[in-house]
Structure formats: C-alpha cells, structure tokens
C-alpha cells in the first residue's frame, strides 16, 4: 500500500454546443458539479476554418460543438472562468494556432500571467488525414504549424501541452492495438524531428516532455490496459534512444483519454453505461500507465447530442471510481504479472515491426496513403466480424430481446440544437465585422500572410490578428492562400479486396441488375457538409465495390452542388449520402432540391447517419428512399437494398 493516496486524474467532460453563451453556462455548471478540467468541443466550421456564414458551414453551426468565429466568441465562452486557474483541453487541429491565439488573447484580457496557463491543444494533423478529416492544408506546412505552436509555447506558455498526439480516432477508424501504437508514435517522432532544429539542444528534452497523447480505450479492457503499458515502455525507449533524453521525467508517457464511442450502440443504449465503465478500467487500473485526464462519452451518444444530465452521469462514474473506491491507495496492480508482461511484449513487437515499416517508407508524411488504406482494411475486418457474429455485441447481434428503455423519454433521450442558432450566430458575426477596425484587421492579415510566406512562426501574428478582430475564416483563408488546400486519401481503391467470401448472392444480383441496365451498376457515395467521420462511407464503398458495383467515392467535405454535379457527370444509378454531424436535414433537402432541378430525381437516394426517427420522416418526405442509422450494421442487407432500389423487378418477381 502506498504511503499517501494518489491524486485523481483530471476529470473532464467533452462539451460545447449551440453558442458560446450556452456552452459557457454548461462549463460553469459542470465545474460546480466537480469537474476539474475543461474539454472544449468546437463545431465543424471552427475546426475546418470557416466562418459561420460560409456555404460549407450551412447546417453545421453549433451542431457538434461550439462556434468560435472571433475574439468575442472566445471571450463569451470563458466568461467568469479564470483561465489562469483552469486546465483547458481544446480539441482543435487545423486551426489550433488560431484557437490558441484567441485563448491567449482572452487570458490577457482577464489579466492572467500567460506563463501560468495550463492545458492542451490537440494539434495533430496527421491523424486528421487518416481518420477525422478536419485538415485544411497539405501535410508539410501543417507539420510546420504544429512546430510553430510547440516552439511558441516552449518560450511563452511553458506549462501548455502544444500537441496531443491523438490515437483516439485511429481506433475509431478501425486500427488494431498494434496500429494504434505504431501510427501514434510515428506521428510523435515526425513532430519531434521537425522541432529538434528549432530549439537549443540543451532545451530539447524539456520540449519532449511537453508532448502529450490522447488515447482511446475499447471494450477488450485487458488488451487495452496492456496497450497503455506498451505505450509507456515504447515512448520511454524512443525518447531515450532516438532523442537521447536522459531525465526520466521528460520521458514520461503523459496521456488523456476518452473511451471508445465507436462501440456505443443505438440498440439497448442503456448497456452503454457498462461499456463506458469497463473501458475506463483499462486506463485507470494500472498505476504506472494511468491516464492523467479522463473524459467519458454519455450513454446516449449513438442516438444524438447528450443532455447535461447524461454528461453528469458519466462524470459521476469517474468520481465514484476516484473517491469511493480504494484504487488510488495502492501501487501498480500488474507489475510482475506474467500474463500481462507477455501481452505487453506481443503488442510492443507488433508495433515495432509496423514502426520499422513506416520508417522504411520515409516516415508518416510519406506513408499517409499506406496508413489510410490499412485502417480501412482493418475496419472492414471489424465490421465483418460483427456482421457474421464472430464478434459479439450484446443487444446488437446477440441477446436482442429487450424491454423498452425507461431512459428514452418524450424528447428521444437526447438534446436537439435549435435550428435558429445558426441564424443568430451569423447575425452576431455580422455585428462583429461591422464594429471592428477594418484597417487594423487588414494590417494584421497582411502581417500574418508575410510571416506565413517567409516561413516565420505564425503564433505572434496570429495573436495580434485575434486582438484586431480577425475571424476564424479570415485566418484560415490566409493559410489556404499561402499553403494551398489538400484532399486526403480515401483508403478505398477501385480494385476489389480479398474479402468477398459470402457475397456470391449479392454479386449475382449486381450482375443481373447491371445486365438489365446495359452497363455496370454505378453507386455514388458522398459526404455532404463538413463532417469528416468517413468510416461509415468508406465501409459502404468498400463493400459495394467488393459486391461488384462501380463505385464513385471522392471522400469528404462536398457541397450538395458538387454531389449532384458528380452524379450527373458520372451517370450514376444510385446515390448514398453519409452525415454524422446532425446536419442531415438541411443538406439532404438541398441535394434533393438540386436533383429535381436537374431532372435527376428518378435517381434513388439512401442516407445514413445518427438520425432520429422524426428527422428520418422529414428525409423521406423530401424523397429519400432509404434511411439507415447505427443499428443497421448488416452491410450485406444494405447492399441488397441498393440493388433493389436501382432494379426493383426481382423484388416484384419474388
């Protein structure tokens, strides 16, 4: 038993929605309930560098997080929250330099000592190309911006974590534990390699010590706990051997965690409470690999946006573990355990082999296409396992008989964002623009552009721009103008895989339909709006291709106009649209309107996403033929539906 009880990890709730004012009230309420750190969720326009009135922002404002378009929004977001005393995690990547600049500007307005600020910006662009999709610029300038933030923080905000290497979304995209270890560690080394020439050699170990990680923990909690111990060992070895860091304090694997949202089910959603608790064990039980900050999803996140009470329930789970149990009174429970040691060694061996493979390709930047393809394949294996019943998911493919859940009340058990939020946010944005000093804005943007063009650190001019009243879209517009935009790999090739077992009946149906059509059945899979969660779309395209369809899938972030144009140019037979951000109603309505205007409304449209039944009825009223939600996990049934939408004759014959 330890002489003194360990301090609990930081207890966070990932939160933000609607408006800065509403999110501020939520933060202050959660802090009053015992939350010990903030974890800010930004909406997709903020994450991808668009103002709330941009065409691509339509339907996305305030949906998956809080819109922050300028200093005024950031000021409102942290009203009455003393930033000098707070530990704030901001889940932001492509616009991380900008959001940190706004945060610093607000802290200075509060009179804070900037050197005392504590927190994290995620700032991991490599995983955005692989799994989350909120990137803006190409990899090399993005890596340079990550280094800019790290260099600036090392000098001016030394307690701040300038980068959170994020393996969370890698697992959500299907990564095996070995892939999650290897891809995350390779990302960290790419960042440190870029940073090393920018600071004096004697200061580099301290900078290494500021790199942190954000990790996922899935339901196989023994494997996940061993994965965390493998992370600790491998990071220590990399810091010592690759970078010569001698002080063990700077080699410590420091990580925060959110447990797996991918495994949360729409069916019997109350079961998710147990899943979340079990997954938390993986990152808290082992003292030597314990998370420094934990945020848990809510039981109903497969249904939609959780309410404050749902978030409180997840917070209480952490507090019971930290304060009621005796977990923090003991040393590591697994040291010397031969089963754990063997599993850790196996995970390390697998990760080291993959790391060597990535190194031989020239590192993560050179290997982005390879890693994306591997993730899509691994996710296909995961989906196949569930579909075939080889991987049991309680309430989904086994033990499906259930009583109605009393947790599902009249509002559907979730919080709905008022559609008026977007117009109100745009009105505030226009007011902000009209009241600022236009000359000061233009001057600060010129300075930002010059710094970016010369390869200088963009943090000082970004902070100056924040104070001058520049908006998120204007800041990102400079980055786009200087560095260009980027479209990441989809991970879905046009060639069938070797995963076609059990598809004979569907392949025959596709062949028959294609014969009647006079050419190969063509299926367009599209992602309208800013939602970068592409896993579902990728798996639909992957399976459709293996079923013999001619697929058209160009990846994420398309406007309705671009989707309809692609459908027209490609002469497609059926359209499948995937949206997980909650913006399905306005975006799908616009797609259907544009199809009618082009006399293409005979093309059947299927839609997938986290879609409440009330919204599903609206989509059907627009002319959508099929609506799928997370409960529709049988991809082969969806594939047959697609065939029948295009060629209903076999159905009539049956």
């Amino acid at each position: 038993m330890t002489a003194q009880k360990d301090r609990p990890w930081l207890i966070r709730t990932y939160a933000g929605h609607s408006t800065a004012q509403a999110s501020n009230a939520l933060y202050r309420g959660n802090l009053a309930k015992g939350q010990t750190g903030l974890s800010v969720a930004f909406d997709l326009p903020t994450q991808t560098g668009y103002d709330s009135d941009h065409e691509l922002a339509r339907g996305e404002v305030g949906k998956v997080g809080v819109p922050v378009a300028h200093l005024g929004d950031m000021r409102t977001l942290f009203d009455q929250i003393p930033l000098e005393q707070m530990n704030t995690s901001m889940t932001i990547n492509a616009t991380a330099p900008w959001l940190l600049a706004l945060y610093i500007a607000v802290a200075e307005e509060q009179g804070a000592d900037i050197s005392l600020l504590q927190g994290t910006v995620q700032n991991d662009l490599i995983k955005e190309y692989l799994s989350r999709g909120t990137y803006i610029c190409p990899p090399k300038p993005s890596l340079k911006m990550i280094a800019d933030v790290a260099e600036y923080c090392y000098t001016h905000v030394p307690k701040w974590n300038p980068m959170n290497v994020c393996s969370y979304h890698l697992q959500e995209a299907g990564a095996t534990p070995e892939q999650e270890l290897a891809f995350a560690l390779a990302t960290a080394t790419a960042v440190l390699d870029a940073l090393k020439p920018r600071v004096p050699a004697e200061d580099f170990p301290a900078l290494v010590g500021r790199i942190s990680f954000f990790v996922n923990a899935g339901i196989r909690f023994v494997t996940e706990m061993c994965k965390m111990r493998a992370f600790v060992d491998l990071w220590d070895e990399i810091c010592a051997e690759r970078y010569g860091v001698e002080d063990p304090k700077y080699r410590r694997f420091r990580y925060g965690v959110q447990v797996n949202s991918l495994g949360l089910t729409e069916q019997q959603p109350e079961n998710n409470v147990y899943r979340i608790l079990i997954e938390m064990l993986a990152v808290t039980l082992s003292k030597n690999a314990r998370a420094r900050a934990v945020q848990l999803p809510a039981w109903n996140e497969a249904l939609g946006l959780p309410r404050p009470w749902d978030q409180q329930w997840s917070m209480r789970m952490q507090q019971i573990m930290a304060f009621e149990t005796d977990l923090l009174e003991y040393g590591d429970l697994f040291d010397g355990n031969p089963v754990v040691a063997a599993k850790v060694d196996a995970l390390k061996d697998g990760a080291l082999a993959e790391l060597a493979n990535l190194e031989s390709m020239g590192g993560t930047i050179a290997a982005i296409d390879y890693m994306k393809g591997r993730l899509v394949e691994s996710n296909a294996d995961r989906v196949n396992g569930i579909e075939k019943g080889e991987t049991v998911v309680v309430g989904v493919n086994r033990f499906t008989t259930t009583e109605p859940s009393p947790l599902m009340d009249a509002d559907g058990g979730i919080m709905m964002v008022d559609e008026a939020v977007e117009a109100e946010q745009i009105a505030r944005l226009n007011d902000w623009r009209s009241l600022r000093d236009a000359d000061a804005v233009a001057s600060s943007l010129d300075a930002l552009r010059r710094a970016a063009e010369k390869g200088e650190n963009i943090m000082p001019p970004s902070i100056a721009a924040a104070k001058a009243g520049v908006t998120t879209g204007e800041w990102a517009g400079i980055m786009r103008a200087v560095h260009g935009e980027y479209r990441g790999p989809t991970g879905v090739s046009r060639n069938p895989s070797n995963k076609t077992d059990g598809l004979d009946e569907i392949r025959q149906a596709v062949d028959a339909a294609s014969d009647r059509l006079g050419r190969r059945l063509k299926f367009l899979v599209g992602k309208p709006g800013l939602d970068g969660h592409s896993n579902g779309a990728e798996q639909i395209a992957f399976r459709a291709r293996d079923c013999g369809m001619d697929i058209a899938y160009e990846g994420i972030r398309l406007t309705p106009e671009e989707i309809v144009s692609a459908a027209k140019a490609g002469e497609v037979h059926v359209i499948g649209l995937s949206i997980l951000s909650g913006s399905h109603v306005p975006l799908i309505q616009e797609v259907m309107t544009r199809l009618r205007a082009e006399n293409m409304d005979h093309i059947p449209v299927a839609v997938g996403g986290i879609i409440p039944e009330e919204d599903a009825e609206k989509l059907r009223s627009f002319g959508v033929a099929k609506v799928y939600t997370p409960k529709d996990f049988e991809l082969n049934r969806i594939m047959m539906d697609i065939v029948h939408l295009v060629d209903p004759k076999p159905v009539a014959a049956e």
Side-chain angles (χ1 to χ4, degrees):
M1 184 168 172
T2 57
Q4 185 177 354
K5 189 173 182 177
D6 292 338
R7 283 195 308 169
W9 52 89
L10 276 172
I11 295 174
R12 287 185 168 136
T13 303
Y14 183 55
H17 65 85
S18 305
T19 66
Q21 186 174 13
S23 298
N24 171 261
L26 182 63
Y27 297 161
R28 288 192 285 118
N30 284 344
L31 290 169
K33 292 171 185 171
Q35 184 172 302
T36 54
L38 292 176
S39 183
V40 182
F42 296 99
D43 74 354
L44 287 173
T46 305
Q47 291 186 52
T48 51
Y50 294 106
D51 286 333
S52 302
D53 58 353
H54 191 278
E55 178 191 11
L56 275 168
R58 182 163 182 258
E60 306 280 16
V61 177
K63 285 283 169 63
V64 302
V66 58
V68 175
H70 48 71
L71 184 61
D73 284 341
M74 190 66 95
R75 191 184 290 143
T76 301
L77 187 64
F78 292 109
D79 182 42
Q80 300 179 60
I81 299 175
L83 297 186
E84 191 176 296
Q85 301 169 30
M86 191 52 53
N87 191 307
T88 304
S89 172
M90 294 194 285
T91 303
I92 199 74
N93 295 284
T95 53
W98 175 242
L99 271 296
L100 180 57
L102 290 171
Y103 188 87
I104 289 170
V106 169
E108 288 183 344
E109 286 183 350
Q110 291 184 356
D113 180 347
I114 300 304
S115 68
L116 298 180
L117 293 181
Q118 294 186 70
T120 303
V121 276
Q122 195 164 95
N123 203 21
D124 178 357
L125 263 297
I126 293 174
K127 76 98 171 58
E128 294 301 315
Y129 305 130
L130 298 178
S131 53
R132 183 59 188 88
T134 67
Y135 51 78
I136 296 174
C137 296
K140 286 185 178 178
S142 294
L143 188 61
K144 190 261 180 190
M145 283 189 263
I146 294 172
D148 283 355
V149 172
E151 183 185 36
Y152 181 86
C153 289
Y154 142 80
T155 306
H156 299 91
V157 199
K159 294 187 176 183
W160 194 269
N161 299 321
M163 194 226 182
N164 218 209
V165 181
C166 181
S167 72
Y168 176 85
H169 291 100
L170 300 178
Q171 186 180 122
E172 296 280 299
T176 64
E178 294 86 350
Q179 288 170 341
E180 187 180 344
L181 285 161
F183 294 179
L185 292 169
T187 296
T189 58
V191 171
L192 288 177
D193 288 351
L195 275 171
K196 195 170 184 181
R198 298 175 66 153
V199 298
E202 63 271 18
D203 292 344
F204 185 66
L207 199 149
V208 172
R210 295 316 309 171
I211 299 296
S212 60
F213 291 75
F214 187 71
V215 180
N216 203 328
I219 196 66
R220 293 172 59 80
F221 84 97
V222 175
T223 297
E224 296 293 278
M225 185 272 293
C226 291
K227 179 188 76 181
M228 300 322 306
R229 291 173 70 94
F231 255 132
V232 169
D233 289 355
L234 288 167
W235 185 240
D236 185 78
E237 292 166 15
I238 287 170
C239 291
E241 296 168 12
R242 186 180 181 112
Y243 298 113
V245 178
E246 296 179 0
D247 188 338
K249 179 177 72 173
Y250 295 140
R251 302 199 304 263
R252 190 179 301 149
F253 183 78
R254 301 178 312 116
Y255 76 99
V257 67
Q258 174 165 314
V259 305
N260 189 292
S261 291
L262 180 67
L264 302 182
T265 62
E266 181 182 357
Q267 305 94 316
Q268 301 179 27
E270 61 277 4
N271 295 344
N272 293 329
V273 176
Y274 305 124
R275 293 186 176 106
I276 293 164
L277 173 60
I278 290 166
E279 289 165 352
M280 184 173 67
L281 296 178
V283 296
T284 55
L285 283 181
S286 175
K287 178 179 178 178
N288 293 338
R290 184 172 293 149
R292 295 170 70 99
V294 177
Q295 61 191 45
L296 302 178
W299 67 279
N300 54 353
E301 288 195 19
L303 308 175
L305 193 64
R307 301 157 299 190
W309 183 86
D310 306 314
Q311 293 186 325
Q312 174 187 299
W313 200 10
S314 286
M315 193 196 312
R316 294 292 183 250
M317 195 182 293
Q318 292 203 55
Q319 290 166 330
I320 290 167
M321 179 71 79
F323 298 110
E324 290 193 25
T325 78
D326 57 355
L327 175 67
L328 299 178
E329 297 173 16
Y330 292 88
D332 197 286
L333 306 176
F334 302 102
D335 283 354
N337 183 307
V339 174
V340 169
K343 182 63 177 176
V344 170
D345 286 344
L347 289 170
K348 287 171 63 177
D349 288 345
L352 287 168
E354 188 67 89
L355 277 167
N357 187 28
L358 295 174
E359 194 81 16
S360 72
M361 295 180 182
T364 52
I365 298 296
I368 284 171
D369 284 27
Y370 161 78
M371 290 190 289
K372 179 66 176 179
R374 293 281 288 141
L375 289 175
V376 172
E377 289 178 17
S378 296
N379 207 15
D381 292 338
R382 182 191 68 82
V383 171
N384 286 343
I386 295 171
E387 195 170 2
K388 293 177 180 178
E390 296 165 359
T391 301
V392 174
V393 183
V394 172
V396 172
N397 61 5
R398 196 180 295 184
F399 313 117
T400 55
T401 303
T402 183
E403 297 294 329
S405 171
L407 294 174
M408 302 290 289
D409 55 21
D411 64 4
I414 55 174
M415 184 175 73
M416 303 297 289
V417 174
D418 190 336
E419 293 300 325
V421 160
E422 185 167 318
E424 292 167 0
Q425 172 67 12
I426 291 171
R428 282 190 298 272
L429 175 60
N430 288 330
D431 288 344
W432 177 266
R433 289 179 181 139
S434 67
L435 294 172
R436 63 188 182 170
D437 183 333
D439 290 339
V441 168
S443 176
S444 66
L445 287 172
D446 283 343
L448 178 64
R449 179 184 289 104
R450 287 195 302 272
E453 288 172 345
K454 292 177 182 177
E456 297 171 356
N457 192 309
I458 62 166
M459 281 305 298
S462 294
I463 294 169
K467 293 175 179 178
V470 164
T471 67
T472 297
E474 290 165 342
W475 180 90
I478 296 294
M479 297 304 118
R480 288 183 168 95
V482 174
H483 301 303
E485 292 195 65
Y486 180 74
R487 286 200 68 78
T490 66
V492 183
S493 75
R494 296 186 67 83
N495 301 315
S497 73
N498 59 358
K499 305 179 192 299
T500 56
D501 288 349
L503 301 182
D504 290 348
E505 182 183 354
I506 306 172
R507 291 170 67 89
Q508 289 169 8
V510 170
D511 288 344
S514 299
D515 288 344
R516 276 187 284 274
L517 292 167
R519 59 188 172 93
R520 182 59 41 184
L521 190 162
K522 190 160 188 179
F523 180 22
L524 170 69
V525 180
K527 283 197 63 62
L530 296 177
D531 173 36
H533 282 111
S534 57
N535 303 337
E538 289 158 3
Q539 291 308 310
I540 289 290
F542 193 96
R543 183 66 61 86
R545 177 203 64 194
D546 286 354
C547 289
M549 299 183 204
D550 181 5
I551 59 158
Y553 174 57
E554 298 303 322
I556 63 172
R557 219 180 297 171
L558 301 172
T559 64
E561 181 180 11
E562 288 171 330
I563 287 170
V564 173
S565 295
K568 186 175 184 178
E571 298 181 318
V572 305
H573 297 110
V574 61
I575 298 171
L577 303 176
S578 168
I579 309 176
L580 291 168
S581 63
S583 60
H584 41 265
V585 171
L587 291 177
I588 299 302
Q589 184 174 23
E590 185 176 346
V591 169
M592 303 306 289
T593 299
R594 287 182 177 276
L595 285 172
R596 280 193 297 276
E598 294 286 344
N599 295 317
M600 295 167 60
D601 49 338
H602 61 281
I603 299 175
V605 175
V607 176
I610 300 175
I611 303 172
E613 182 53 35
E614 181 182 345
D615 286 356
E617 285 300 318
K618 287 182 184 175
L619 298 184
R620 294 184 192 104
S621 75
F622 301 155
V624 170
K626 288 282 186 180
V627 177
Y628 298 103
T629 67
K631 71 178 183 296
D632 299 300
F633 67 95
E634 295 174 326
L635 294 191
N636 284 353
R637 182 175 67 80
I638 295 173
M639 292 300 108
M640 198 62 90
D641 286 349
I642 297 300
V643 175
H644 292 161
L645 285 176
V646 176
D647 184 29
K649 290 177 185 174
V651 178
E654 292 169 8

